[in-house]
Amino acid sequence: MKYVKEYGFSLLKFLGFLLGGSLIMSLFYYFLLPTKITNIVAFLYMVLVFFFFGLSFGKRCENKGFIAGLKIGILLLLLLIFFNVIFYQSSFKFIRVIYYLVLLFSSVIGSSIGINIKKE
């Protein structure tokens, strides 16, 4: 039950960050920045979100930070893939797989850094 609560709150936080970031990116798109720059900023935003979620899970785990990063990264990626299938119904593209791997890698890196900087 402890893990369900921990991962459930993390998923809710992630949904909040996802919705908030989507709102900000849509405002950038409509009023301030061109599409290419908005796409780059959105990509960097998602990388940072995955990095910080991995960092927070790395600080809480006892050992093997990369496994904690893989766990939370895969969980968040499954949520993103679910939203992609439900709302966009787009076909399989190789570039999307690379995008998901970069997000997973940033989560693992964040978790590995988090386990090294946690307070003893």
Side-chain angles (χ1 to χ4, degrees), residues 1-20:
M1 191 66 181
K2 173 187 164 190
Y3 294 115
V4 172
K5 183 178 177 183
E6 181 179 355
Y7 285 111
F9 282 136
S10 295
L11 283 176
L12 287 176
K13 286 181 197 176
F14 178 71
L15 285 175
F17 281 113
L18 189 65
L19 291 175

Side-chain angles (χ1 to χ4, degrees), residues 1 3 6 8 10-11 22 26-28 53 57-58 73-74 76 78 81 90 105 107 109 111 114:
M1 191 66 181
Y3 294 115
E6 181 179 355
S10 295
L11 283 176
S22 296
S26 64
L27 289 175
F28 281 166
F53 271 91
F57 269 80
I74 289 172
L76 298 178
L78 287 175
I81 291 170
S90 60
F105 183 69
S107 175
I109 293 297
S111 182

Side-chain angles (χ1 to χ4, degrees), residues 60-106:
R60 288 185 265 165
C61 75
E62 297 297 321
N63 54 8
K64 307 281 188 200
F66 65 93
I67 297 209
L70 278 174
K71 284 180 190 177
I72 191 66
I74 289 172
L75 182 66
L76 298 178
L77 281 179
L78 287 175
L79 187 65
L80 281 179
I81 291 170
F82 175 74
F83 282 145
N84 188 24
V85 168
I86 295 298
F87 293 118
Y88 298 111
Q89 300 170 351
S90 60
S91 63
F92 174 78
K93 294 180 182 174
F94 185 69
I95 194 76
R96 190 167 296 132
V97 173
I98 294 172
Y99 172 70
Y100 291 147
L101 287 176
V102 168
L103 292 179
L104 184 64
F105 183 69
S106 70

Side-chain angles (χ1 to χ4, degrees), residues 21-45:
S22 296
L23 178 69
I24 291 170
M25 290 303 129
S26 64
L27 289 175
F28 281 166
Y29 177 72
Y30 285 120
F31 297 117
L32 300 173
L33 299 173
T35 304
K36 287 185 179 183
I37 294 174
T38 305
N39 289 339
I40 292 170
V41 170
F43 173 73
L44 292 176
Y45 175 75

